[in-house]
Amino acid sequence: MIERIVPTETETAEAYGDLPEATLLPEEEPIVKSAVAKRRAEFTTARHCARQALTRLGAPAGAILTGERGAPLWPEGVVGSITHCEGYRAAVVARPAHITSIGVDAEPALPLPSGVLEAVALADEQVAVKELLESAPDVRWDRLLFSAKESVYKAWYPLTRRFLEFEEARLVFDPAGGTFTAHLLAGPARAGSRTLHTFDGRWLSQDGIVLTSVTVPA
Ligand SMILES: CC(C)(COP(=O)(O)OP(=O)(O)OC[C@H]1O[C@@H](n2cnc3c(N)ncnc32)[C@H](O)[C@@H]1OP(=O)(O)O)[C@@H](O)C(=O)NCCC(=O)NCCS
């Protein structure tokens, strides 16, 4: 399903749970050496998905180590993003000639725990989410907002190498179009010679999962 919300120039792979055939490469073992079994399993399946996507892209499908602040280290000439949540793992990769940065995030389509919306959403975002929960209750808009902010961060970080607080992006959803715009309140991101004040995103709610992407095209 992730291919529905990313550009055609990307390659994707996804899994609805952990795959027995998924394995880690020896260089990746230290990353999850002390991890609990659940974290190790989701990491392993997501790395497996990432290697499938890299192979489809025609890129080397070797070890994908973890860099600063948890960002995956893609091979030279590749950009990408990884997500995992209960029952779902996915990876998306592309060539920098087409895509400058990409972030994807999956979440279970369940209400956010009490207090989380207030912690991650600006006042006007909270109003918009509450209105959408009433007018279009088939979608968990609170969870979708959270996911969209995580996708914003995953696309933002490789460009800026800076953390982004939840209140540093203001998101506006197009409920009918399956898109959203993120206004970057912490200051713009630079992509080559471009100065970006907004990111464009897409969203989907399907099979009990909410899924978001943010793409910065080349
Ligand atoms: C990093 C973060 C976004 C991950 O999101 P999550 O919903 O917890 O988890 P997901 O499974 O969807 O994504 C985890 C993957 O994100 C990727 N990731 C982690 N840090 C990253 C970073 N700094 N940049 C890009 N990708 C990153 C990794 O591939 C990671 O999986 P892995 O450790 O198995 O390689 C989240 O934990 C976080 O720190 N959020 C705070 C920052 C933020 O979201 N700000 C909002 C700004 S509007």
Side-chain angles (χ1 to χ4, degrees):
M1 77 180 155
I2 199 163
E3 71 286 350
R4 292 181 55 195
I5 60 157
V6 290
T8 51
E9 298 89 352
T10 60
E11 293 292 346
T12 66
E14 64 191 349
Y16 291 82
D18 288 314
L19 303 172
E21 67 271 29
T23 51
L24 289 183
L25 296 184
E27 304 93 304
E28 294 166 337
E29 286 283 350
I31 304 171
V32 284
K33 191 165 62 86
S34 324
V36 297
K38 183 172 175 288
R39 163 67 177 146
R40 186 184 169 84
E42 68 176 18
F43 180 86
T44 303
T45 300
R47 280 322 195 248
H48 176 84
C49 289
R51 276 188 268 284
Q52 282 184 323
L54 286 167
T55 301
R56 289 173 187 150
L57 193 69
I64 304 158
L65 301 183
T66 296
E68 265 177 80
R69 282 198 180 267
L73 294 176
W74 297 104
E76 190 69 28
V78 175
V79 297
S81 186
I82 289 173
T83 187
H84 25 59
C85 72
E86 190 67 40
Y88 187 73
R89 292 90 178 79
V92 177
V93 294
R95 294 293 188 185
H98 299 128
I99 308 281
T100 300
S101 190
I102 189 160
V104 292
D105 188 81
E107 295 281 330
L110 297 170
L112 284 176
S114 173
V116 174
L117 182 66
E118 292 71 18
V120 301
L122 299 166
D124 52 348
E125 291 174 331
Q126 291 179 41
V127 171
V129 161
K130 284 169 188 164
E131 284 174 1
L132 284 165
L133 283 169
E134 281 184 16
S135 61
D138 288 350
V139 177
R140 279 313 317 182
W141 294 98
D142 49 344
R143 189 67 77 153
L144 194 60
L145 177 81
F146 181 77
S147 173
K149 290 207 171 199
E150 306 255 67
S151 281
V152 166
Y153 178 64
K154 291 181 192 178
W156 158 274
Y157 184 77
L159 292 177
T160 63
R161 300 280 153 195
R162 277 163 47 205
F163 191 71
L164 190 68
E165 302 288 350
F166 281 96
E167 67 270 21
E168 290 181 321
R170 185 165 59 81
L171 270 55
V172 179
F173 283 90
D174 176 349
T179 61
F180 62 89
T181 303
H183 299 267
L184 302 171
L185 309 180
R190 294 208 174 273
S193 58
R194 289 173 299 154
T195 304
L196 306 171
H197 295 273
T198 57
F199 282 167
D200 293 326
R202 291 166 69 181
W203 66 267
L204 181 68
S205 178
Q206 188 182 308
D207 299 339
I209 305 280
V210 297
L211 200 51
T212 59
S213 70
V214 165
T215 304
V216 178

